[in-house]
Amino acid sequence: MPDTYLPHHDPDVETLVRPRYLAGPGDREAVDAVFEPLRGWRVVALGPYLTEVVATSPCHRVRVGYRPDREQSWQVTAALDPFAVPTWRGGFSRATPPEIVGAFLGALSDSLQYDAVSDTTGTFMSLEGTLADANEAASEAGWPTVCADGRWLTTSDDGEVEYEVGPLVDPAVEMASDVQSGFTWRVASGDPDVGWTAGFSSCTPLHLIAAVNGAVADSSPLVRTSADLPQRVVARALAELAEADRREAEARAALPTAAELLADGNGLETPVAVSPLYLAGPGPVERAVAALTSEAGWRSATFRSGRLWESDCRTVRVAHLPERTRDAWQITALAGPLGVPTWKANFSYKTPAEVLGEVTRLVAETVTGDARPADSEYVSPFELDRHGWTSRTASVWTTFSAPDPKVVLQHNSAEFGRYEELEGQAPPSWTLTAGIDDRFCAWSADFTSSTPSYMVTAAALTAVDPAPVLRTRRSLPETHLPYLQVVAASTGRSSAARSGTAPASRGPSPDPAGPQLPTVADRGRLR
C-alpha cells in the first residue's frame, strides 16, 4: 500500500464524496472556511454562544449572515446604497455543502474587489449575460433542461438536483416575500441529512448564479468524515471507489507491468530508463544537488540526521534529512547571513532528483549571478496554460492541472502572515503533488508565498517532462511499478542523467515577473 496520501485525505477518518452536492454541511471548520474569500470584510460573531456570524463588505452594501438555528441558515442581501432597500437577496439552507456557498461568496467578493480596483460601481448588481450562460456548467455536465410556461427546469442525471428559473415578477413584491424563487435549487428532497435548498431573487446577477451551478455540477469530490454522512452516501462513495479500483485493475492486467519487464534483468543495480519522471522515485542524491559544488562556492557538512549545503554568501541553505517524510528536502533563503528566513520550499522524500536538481540549479545560478534573463519558459505559474495546463478556481484555491492530470499544482490565496507560513502555522501558498492514482500521492512539494514564482513553475514543468530518466532497478519504488514504463536507456533525459545534467530543452531562464533574487552584486543576499 502506498505510504503517502494526497493532502488532507486520511482514509481512516475521511471519505471522498461524489457527487459533491450530497456531501452535507460538514463540520464547523468547513463553515468557518466559507468566510475566507471575504477578505477585508468586517466579520462579527453574535449570539449567546457566538455561533451566529454576520459579515459586512467594506462598502457596507452587501451583508452575509449565518444563523445555524434557522432553516435558511445562509442569507445574503445586496443594495446599491448602504441605506437603501436590498436590490437582490437570497440564501442557502442549513445542509448546503459549505464549498458551494463558498463558491457563491467568492464570486461575490471578486465582483466587489473588481469595482474597488477598476473604480466602477455595481458589478455585483450587473444583469449582463443570459440564462444559458448561467446554466453552462450544468449543460456541459449533460444535465437536460426543459422550458415551459416561462420556467427553466434543469435536472441532474441521477435526479437528485433540480435547478429552476422562475418567471420575472415585480421586484417589490418579490423582495417582500420570505422565500425567493427567481432561481432555486432543490437537492435530495427526500433526505434531510444531505438534502438542501437555495433560492435567490430574479435580479441576482447571473455570473453569481453561474458560480453556484459550477460548484454544484463540479465532478470533483469533497472530503467528509464518515460520521457526518448518512449511511447511503457512505455506501455510494465506497461502491464508487470499489468500481474505480476494479476498472483500474482490469486496465493494468491487460498490459505488462514494469515489474514483469524488469524480472528478466541482469541484476538490481542495472540502470534502466523509465517514465513518467514523476513516478521514477527519488534517484541519486548527487543529481539533486549537482549545481551546489565547491567550485560554485557552496559548502557542505554531514550530520547525524542528514546533510547540509550552504551558499558562499550564507543566505541559502539546502538540507537533506532522509529520515523525514513530508520535508526530507528543505531549501531556505535568509534575509542575511544572520537574518531570518524569507522563503522556504519543502519536498517529500520520494521527490525525483531531477525536480530538485532543476530548482537547486536555479537557486545556485541566481546566487552566483549567472541566471539568464527574461525569455525563460519558467514564467509565473499563472501562465502554465502556455504549456497545456488547465486551471480552476474555487473559493481561495486555484488548482492547475497538467496535461497528465495526476500532476497538480494548488495555490492558496488566503492571507496569512509570512512568518506563520514559515513556521508551519499556516498552509503553504503553493503545493505541487504527483499522484499514483486518484487517491494516493507519490510525492509533494510545498512553497511559501515569497518563493520566486519561476522556481515553482520549474518544479511543475520538470515533473511532467516526458523524457525518461535513469534509475537502478533496486531504486524503483515498488508501489509505482504497475504505472511505470521501461524504455531504452539511451533515450531523452536518460543520457543527460548519467552525468547529472539537465537536458538542453530545459533552459534555466528565470522570469522577471516573479519575485527577483538579488545576485552577488546585491551583497550576496537571496531574499
Side-chain angles (χ1 to χ4, degrees):
M1 176 180 291
D3 46 22
T4 306
Y5 294 94
L6 285 171
H8 316 302
H9 293 181
D10 184 347
D12 295 327
V13 297
E14 296 179 331
T15 300
L16 295 179
V17 181
R18 187 188 289 111
R20 55 180 21 225
Y21 47 75
L22 295 181
D27 55 18
R28 179 66 197 204
E29 289 185 4
V31 172
D32 293 340
V34 172
F35 291 93
E36 289 182 0
L38 307 183
R39 295 182 291 274
W41 291 44
R42 183 172 181 265
V43 181
V44 179
L46 305 172
Y49 300 104
L50 301 180
T51 56
E52 301 178 5
V53 182
V54 175
T56 306
S57 66
C59 62
H60 297 280
R61 294 179 292 173
V62 181
R63 288 179 174 83
V64 177
Y66 174 68
R67 303 183 67 177
D69 60 328
R70 294 197 174 187
E71 178 56 32
Q72 193 178 50
S73 298
W74 297 95
Q75 299 178 2
V76 185
T77 62
L80 282 171
D81 183 89
F83 303 101
V85 174
T87 304
W88 61 264
R89 57 182 289 202
F92 302 85
S93 66
R94 183 186 306 112
T96 307
E99 293 82 357
I100 294 177
V101 182
F104 176 87
L105 296 183
L108 176 59
S109 177
D110 290 344
S111 294
L112 290 169
Q113 182 67 19
Y114 178 85
D115 285 340
V117 172
S118 305
D119 196 24
T120 59
T121 57
T123 301
F124 67 101
M125 297 287 185
S126 172
L127 295 179
E128 294 182 0
T130 65
L131 293 177
D133 295 334
N135 199 35
E136 182 178 0
S139 298
E140 290 181 350
W143 295 2
T145 299
V146 177
C147 303
D149 300 326
R151 295 179 178 273
W152 287 40
L153 179 63
T154 301
T155 307
S156 62
D157 292 336
D158 58 7
E160 299 279 15
V161 179
E162 290 184 348
Y163 160 62
E164 183 176 350
V165 181
L168 289 173
V169 298
D170 184 347
V173 174
E174 187 179 33
M175 295 303 294
S177 173
D178 291 335
V179 179
Q180 306 304 311
S181 57
F183 303 92
T184 58
W185 291 263
R186 296 180 294 273
V187 178
S189 303
D191 192 331
D193 292 315
V194 295
W196 57 273
T197 61
F200 285 85
S201 58
S202 302
C203 292
T204 305
L206 292 176
H207 70 279
L208 301 182
I209 301 300
V212 178
N213 279 330
V216 171
D218 190 342
S219 61
S220 61
L222 296 178
V223 180
R224 292 288 187 269
T225 59
S226 299
D228 293 334
L229 297 169
Q231 187 173 359
R232 78 175 184 93
V233 175
V234 175
R236 178 173 177 166
L238 295 177
E240 183 179 275
L241 191 60
E243 176 62 18
D245 287 343
R246 185 190 65 78
R247 290 196 302 266
E248 185 175 334
E250 289 180 350
R252 288 205 304 267
L255 297 171
T257 66
E260 294 167 342
L261 292 171
L262 296 178
D264 186 22
N266 297 320
L268 292 176
E269 301 303 327
T270 303
V272 292
V274 297
S275 66
L277 181 153
Y278 63 83
L279 293 181
V285 172
E286 293 75 14
R287 195 171 301 161
V289 293
L292 310 183
T293 63
S294 58
E295 292 79 3
W298 289 77
R299 297 175 174 85
S300 66
T302 301
F303 302 92
R304 175 181 298 179
S305 57
R307 192 174 177 186
L308 177 72
W309 292 262
E310 187 175 51
S311 65
D312 186 45
C313 55
R314 303 292 196 278
T315 59
V316 186
R317 294 169 184 165
V318 178
H320 180 217
L321 308 172
E323 295 184 1
R324 306 284 287 268
T325 301
R326 181 79 180 181
D327 54 355
W329 286 92
Q330 301 177 13
I331 303 176
T332 306
L334 309 175
L338 301 177
V340 297
T342 56
W343 63 263
K344 189 173 184 179
N346 292 335
F347 301 80
S348 64
Y349 76 106
K350 285 187 180 179
T351 303
E354 290 76 12
V355 173
L356 282 158
E358 193 70 355
V359 175
T360 56
R361 183 174 64 83
L362 288 174
V363 170
E365 291 186 352
T366 307
V367 168
T368 58
D370 294 334
R372 294 186 287 273
D375 58 347
S376 172
E377 62 176 313
Y378 294 146
V379 293
S380 165
F382 290 100
E383 299 181 42
L384 281 170
D385 57 341
R386 296 185 187 180
H387 300 273
W389 292 54
T390 58
S391 63
R392 177 175 56 83
T393 300
S395 185
V396 298
W397 294 97
T398 299
T399 301
F400 302 87
S401 299
D404 183 337
K406 292 185 177 63
V407 178
V408 173
L409 177 65
Q410 282 189 315
H411 175 53
N412 179 10
S413 61
E415 294 182 355
F416 297 101
R418 183 172 69 176
Y419 293 105
E420 288 183 280
E421 271 192 293
L422 292 167
E423 294 172 1
Q425 303 301 314
S429 289
W430 297 95
T431 297
L432 177 65
T433 58
I436 299 175
D437 55 23
D438 291 339
R439 293 169 294 152
F440 301 116
C441 180
W443 57 270
S444 63
D446 296 327
F447 305 86
T448 60
S449 56
S450 296
T451 304
S453 62
Y454 55 81
M455 293 189 183
V456 179
T457 306
L461 291 180
T462 304
V464 295
D465 191 328
V469 294
L470 281 183
R471 293 289 188 269
T472 62
R473 299 169 188 269
R474 185 189 299 276
S475 69
L476 294 174
E478 183 178 353
T479 52
H480 299 186
L481 291 179
Y483 309 91
L484 286 170
Q485 292 183 334
V486 178
V487 297
S490 60
T491 307
R493 181 187 280 268
S494 58
S495 300
R498 292 190 177 94
S499 61
T501 61
S505 61
R506 308 211 63 80
S509 308
D511 107 77
Q516 292 300 296
L517 305 185
T519 62
V520 171
D522 297 315
R523 301 176 65 184
R525 295 184 178 183
L526 185 58
R527 297 183 184 273

